[in-house]
Amino acid sequence: MHTTAIAHPNIAFIKYWGNQDDALRIPMNGSLSMNLQALTTTTSVEFCEDLKQDDLVIDGQSASPEVLQRVSTFLDIIRAQMPDQHLKAIVISNNNFPMSTGIASSAAAFAALAAAASQAAGLDLDETTLSRLARRGSGSACRSIPSGFVEWQAGTCDEDSYAHSIAAPDHWALVDLIAVVSSTPKQVGSSAGHALAASSPIQKARVADCPRRLQICRTAILQRDFVTFAEIVEQDSNLMHAVMMSSTPSLLYWEPATIAIMQQVLKWRSEGLQVCYTIDAGSNVHLLCPQQDADDVEAQLQSMESIQSIYRSSVGDGVRLV
Ligand code: PMV
């Protein structure tokens, strides 16, 4: 059976960095995010009798051996639950945004793959089981399964580490403006980065304080309290980057343009614009703002020279089959 699923990437407000178990991707701390409606990954999967190995095409190009290996290892988890465990798959995936821009594509990729491949395999998984499965491909992918504003409870093992929705997409009209400052692929991807987190003396304190940040951020979302939300989102991003910079070897993802935008965001907020920043494992900056401020923030961003492109998204749905 040939099945197709659509998923959106997500942006974390309280971030996941470091694992209790690297192989199962059980995180050190819980995290909170929203899905990004404007960005989509559409993935089709078919298990076939006559294939010798899995075949993966992304945006019209055959995938590299490394990427194919990661996807095949993920498909093995699904194959283990199929009557015929030897069937290989044809996977065709298309993004409506360039992967090279460093916008978190693995979350949408593994969320769409988990939904399409499990359905193609004849498994009818509920949302929790699908979230646990997506987590095995890329941790943050478990947050692209439920809809809207999403919390991933860290848990302690495969069974209790999954994400659920805390509010629907229409609960709060937040906008993410993604300022792309570099399209060079990052030198250390997040899977390798998570493994370095424990080497930072700051990580223990970051993890220990996480329940406090989650509580403040969750309440701010539920009450649509942007002032509180902005403070905690920036603090959480700064804490993650402090861990990255102080790990061994050190990870420094920021470019001069990243810092220039962070400084502008603080200035614009002090002048009355409702906007805050958050940065993933890369140099691009996500500017979060209520919809009524989004045009002004976008206009301000457009006047900055160092920005290559800007993506704009509202709060998105969860994964779905088409
Ligand atoms: O899911 P991964 O392994 O790509 O890790 C995501 C890590 C961050 O994007 C930096 C933080 C997050 O919670 O999304």
Side-chain angles (χ1 to χ4, degrees), residues 291-316:
Q291 197 169 21
Q292 65 266 26
D293 292 71
D295 285 344
D296 288 345
V297 173
E298 190 168 355
Q300 293 280 17
L301 269 180
Q302 268 159 355
S303 69
M304 292 185 73
E305 266 176 21
S306 48
I307 296 172
Q308 294 177 359
S309 51
I310 301 170
Y311 289 85
R312 177 173 173 155
S313 181
S314 56
V315 187

Short mmCIF file of all heavy atoms in Angstrom, two decimals, residues 291-316:
data_model
loop_
_atom_site.label_atom_id
_atom_site.label_comp_id
_atom_site.label_asym_id
_atom_site.label_seq_id
_atom_site.Cartn_x
_atom_site.Cartn_y
_atom_site.Cartn_z
N GLN A 291 0.44 38.10 16.21
CA GLN A 291 0.16 38.43 14.80
C GLN A 291 0.07 39.94 14.55
O GLN A 291 0.53 40.42 13.51
CB GLN A 291 -1.16 37.77 14.40
CG GLN A 291 -1.37 37.70 12.91
CD GLN A 291 -2.55 36.80 12.58
OE1 GLN A 291 -3.42 36.55 13.41
NE2 GLN A 291 -2.57 36.30 11.38
N GLN A 292 -0.47 40.68 15.53
CA GLN A 292 -0.66 42.12 15.26
C GLN A 292 0.67 42.88 15.16
O GLN A 292 0.71 43.98 14.62
CB GLN A 292 -1.58 42.78 16.31
CG GLN A 292 -1.05 42.82 17.73
CD GLN A 292 -1.52 41.61 18.57
OE1 GLN A 292 -1.82 40.56 18.02
NE2 GLN A 292 -1.57 41.76 19.88
N ASP A 293 1.75 42.30 15.64
CA ASP A 293 3.07 42.95 15.54
C ASP A 293 3.91 42.41 14.38
O ASP A 293 5.01 42.92 14.12
CB ASP A 293 3.85 42.75 16.85
CG ASP A 293 3.23 43.52 18.02
OD1 ASP A 293 2.15 43.10 18.46
OD2 ASP A 293 3.80 44.53 18.45
N ALA A 294 3.43 41.36 13.72
CA ALA A 294 4.28 40.63 12.76
C ALA A 294 4.69 41.49 11.55
O ALA A 294 5.84 41.42 11.10
CB ALA A 294 3.58 39.35 12.29
N ASP A 295 3.78 42.32 11.04
CA ASP A 295 4.15 43.15 9.87
C ASP A 295 5.26 44.13 10.24
O ASP A 295 6.21 44.34 9.47
CB ASP A 295 2.93 43.94 9.35
CG ASP A 295 1.96 43.04 8.59
OD1 ASP A 295 2.37 41.92 8.21
OD2 ASP A 295 0.81 43.46 8.39
N ASP A 296 5.16 44.75 11.42
CA ASP A 296 6.18 45.71 11.85
C ASP A 296 7.52 45.01 12.06
O ASP A 296 8.57 45.52 11.66
CB ASP A 296 5.75 46.39 13.17
CG ASP A 296 4.60 47.36 12.95
OD1 ASP A 296 4.35 47.71 11.78
OD2 ASP A 296 3.95 47.74 13.95
N VAL A 297 7.48 43.85 12.70
CA VAL A 297 8.74 43.12 12.94
C VAL A 297 9.37 42.71 11.61
O VAL A 297 10.58 42.88 11.40
CB VAL A 297 8.48 41.86 13.82
CG1 VAL A 297 9.74 41.02 13.94
CG2 VAL A 297 7.99 42.27 15.21
N GLU A 298 8.53 42.23 10.68
CA GLU A 298 9.06 41.81 9.38
C GLU A 298 9.68 43.00 8.63
O GLU A 298 10.75 42.89 8.03
CB GLU A 298 7.96 41.14 8.54
CG GLU A 298 8.51 40.48 7.29
CD GLU A 298 7.52 39.57 6.58
OE1 GLU A 298 6.39 39.36 7.09
OE2 GLU A 298 7.88 39.07 5.50
N ALA A 299 9.02 44.15 8.71
CA ALA A 299 9.55 45.36 8.04
C ALA A 299 10.90 45.75 8.65
O ALA A 299 11.85 46.10 7.94
CB ALA A 299 8.55 46.50 8.15
N GLN A 300 10.99 45.69 9.96
CA GLN A 300 12.26 46.00 10.64
C GLN A 300 13.36 45.03 10.18
O GLN A 300 14.49 45.43 9.90
CB GLN A 300 12.11 45.89 12.17
CG GLN A 300 11.21 46.93 12.79
CD GLN A 300 11.92 48.26 12.99
OE1 GLN A 300 12.96 48.53 12.39
NE2 GLN A 300 11.34 49.12 13.80
N LEU A 301 13.00 43.74 10.13
CA LEU A 301 13.98 42.72 9.72
C LEU A 301 14.48 42.97 8.30
O LEU A 301 15.66 42.81 8.00
CB LEU A 301 13.34 41.33 9.75
CG LEU A 301 13.42 40.50 11.03
CD1 LEU A 301 12.71 39.17 10.81
CD2 LEU A 301 14.87 40.26 11.45
N GLN A 302 13.52 43.33 7.42
CA GLN A 302 13.87 43.53 6.01
C GLN A 302 14.88 44.66 5.83
O GLN A 302 15.61 44.69 4.85
CB GLN A 302 12.61 43.79 5.17
CG GLN A 302 12.07 42.49 4.61
CD GLN A 302 10.60 42.57 4.22
OE1 GLN A 302 9.95 43.60 4.47
NE2 GLN A 302 10.10 41.51 3.62
N SER A 303 14.92 45.57 6.81
CA SER A 303 15.86 46.69 6.68
C SER A 303 17.27 46.30 7.13
O SER A 303 18.20 47.08 7.00
CB SER A 303 15.35 47.89 7.48
OG SER A 303 15.44 47.60 8.86
N MET A 304 17.43 45.10 7.66
CA MET A 304 18.77 44.67 8.10
C MET A 304 19.50 43.98 6.94
O MET A 304 18.96 43.08 6.31
CB MET A 304 18.66 43.70 9.29
CG MET A 304 18.15 44.38 10.55
SD MET A 304 18.16 43.26 11.97
CE MET A 304 19.91 43.15 12.32
N GLU A 305 20.74 44.39 6.70
CA GLU A 305 21.47 43.94 5.51
C GLU A 305 21.88 42.47 5.53
O GLU A 305 21.92 41.81 4.51
CB GLU A 305 22.74 44.78 5.36
CG GLU A 305 22.53 45.96 4.45
CD GLU A 305 23.76 46.84 4.38
OE1 GLU A 305 24.85 46.36 4.70
OE2 GLU A 305 23.58 48.02 4.02
N SER A 306 22.19 41.96 6.72
CA SER A 306 22.80 40.64 6.80
C SER A 306 21.82 39.48 6.62
O SER A 306 22.22 38.32 6.65
CB SER A 306 23.50 40.51 8.15
OG SER A 306 22.60 40.93 9.16
N ILE A 307 20.54 39.79 6.41
CA ILE A 307 19.55 38.70 6.33
C ILE A 307 19.34 38.26 4.89
O ILE A 307 19.07 39.07 4.01
CB ILE A 307 18.22 39.17 6.98
CG1 ILE A 307 18.47 39.42 8.47
CG2 ILE A 307 17.12 38.13 6.78
CD1 ILE A 307 17.33 40.06 9.20
N GLN A 308 19.48 36.93 4.65
CA GLN A 308 19.37 36.40 3.28
C GLN A 308 17.92 36.22 2.86
O GLN A 308 17.53 36.49 1.74
CB GLN A 308 20.10 35.06 3.18
CG GLN A 308 21.59 35.21 3.37
CD GLN A 308 22.31 33.88 3.34
OE1 GLN A 308 21.70 32.82 3.20
NE2 GLN A 308 23.63 33.92 3.47
N SER A 309 17.10 35.68 3.76
CA SER A 309 15.69 35.50 3.46
C SER A 309 14.90 35.41 4.76
O SER A 309 15.49 35.19 5.83
CB SER A 309 15.45 34.23 2.62
OG SER A 309 16.10 33.14 3.22
N ILE A 310 13.59 35.60 4.64
CA ILE A 310 12.72 35.55 5.83
C ILE A 310 11.55 34.61 5.52
O ILE A 310 10.93 34.70 4.46
CB ILE A 310 12.16 36.96 6.15
CG1 ILE A 310 13.30 37.95 6.43
CG2 ILE A 310 11.21 36.90 7.35
CD1 ILE A 310 12.85 39.41 6.51
N TYR A 311 11.29 33.67 6.43
CA TYR A 311 10.11 32.82 6.32
C TYR A 311 9.14 33.24 7.42
O TYR A 311 9.57 33.60 8.52
CB TYR A 311 10.48 31.34 6.50
CG TYR A 311 11.25 30.81 5.32
CD1 TYR A 311 12.63 30.98 5.24
CD2 TYR A 311 10.58 30.21 4.26
CE1 TYR A 311 13.33 30.53 4.13
CE2 TYR A 311 11.28 29.75 3.15
CZ TYR A 311 12.65 29.92 3.09
OH TYR A 311 13.34 29.48 1.99
N ARG A 312 7.86 33.17 7.12
CA ARG A 312 6.84 33.60 8.09
C ARG A 312 5.82 32.50 8.26
O ARG A 312 5.29 31.98 7.27
CB ARG A 312 6.19 34.88 7.55
CG ARG A 312 5.07 35.40 8.43
CD ARG A 312 4.62 36.76 7.90
NE ARG A 312 3.44 37.23 8.59
CZ ARG A 312 3.11 38.52 8.70
NH1 ARG A 312 3.85 39.45 8.15
NH2 ARG A 312 2.03 38.88 9.33
N SER A 313 5.54 32.15 9.50
CA SER A 313 4.57 31.08 9.72
C SER A 313 3.69 31.34 10.93
O SER A 313 4.14 31.84 11.96
CB SER A 313 5.27 29.74 9.91
OG SER A 313 4.31 28.70 10.10
N SER A 314 2.44 30.90 10.81
CA SER A 314 1.52 30.88 11.96
C SER A 314 1.62 29.51 12.64
O SER A 314 2.44 28.66 12.24
CB SER A 314 0.10 31.14 11.46
OG SER A 314 -0.22 30.19 10.47
N VAL A 315 0.81 29.29 13.66
CA VAL A 315 0.84 28.02 14.42
C VAL A 315 0.23 26.91 13.59
O VAL A 315 -0.83 27.09 12.97
CB VAL A 315 0.07 28.17 15.75
CG1 VAL A 315 0.25 26.93 16.62
CG2 VAL A 315 0.52 29.42 16.51
N GLY A 316 0.89 25.75 13.59
CA GLY A 316 0.51 24.70 12.64
C GLY A 316 -0.23 23.51 13.24
O GLY A 316 -0.26 23.28 14.44
#
